[in-house]
Amino acid sequence: FCAGQRKPVKCVKENKHCPKKKHPILVLEDGECICKTHPCAAIQQANCETEKFPMLDYNYDEKGNLDCFCRRHPCPAFACHTTPDTPVIAWDQEGNCFCKAHEHNEL
């Protein structure tokens, strides 16, 4: 789904997610699954807060230049209304959907 970073197999097997907007990319470093900053976070124009294209994605061209772009909503039929502690729809870098708490709870 995502042209950028793929979730490491170990992290998938451990059912790891990165629900915080500031660190949405799951990587494997020194054998541990950790959440990293999105590579497009430093680019001001990398804003995907539209209803139709809310997923920030990225790719690197053949010269290694970063290309940031917005993708269609990966969870159009997903619902979190039955989970009061985690009512917000979120997704990982591959478009897998899950429910999370409101962002004001993030630190």
Side-chain angles (χ1 to χ4, degrees), residues 21-24 37-46 56 66 68:
K21 193 174 183 177
K22 288 186 178 183
H23 300 98
T37 303
H38 197 289
C40 299
I43 301 172
Q44 286 184 331
Q45 68 267 25
L56 179 60
L66 179 63
C68 300

Side-chain angles (χ1 to χ4, degrees), residues 44-55:
Q44 286 184 331
Q45 68 267 25
N47 184 349
C48 296
E49 295 185 12
T50 66
E51 189 174 324
K52 193 170 182 179
F53 297 97
M55 184 177 179

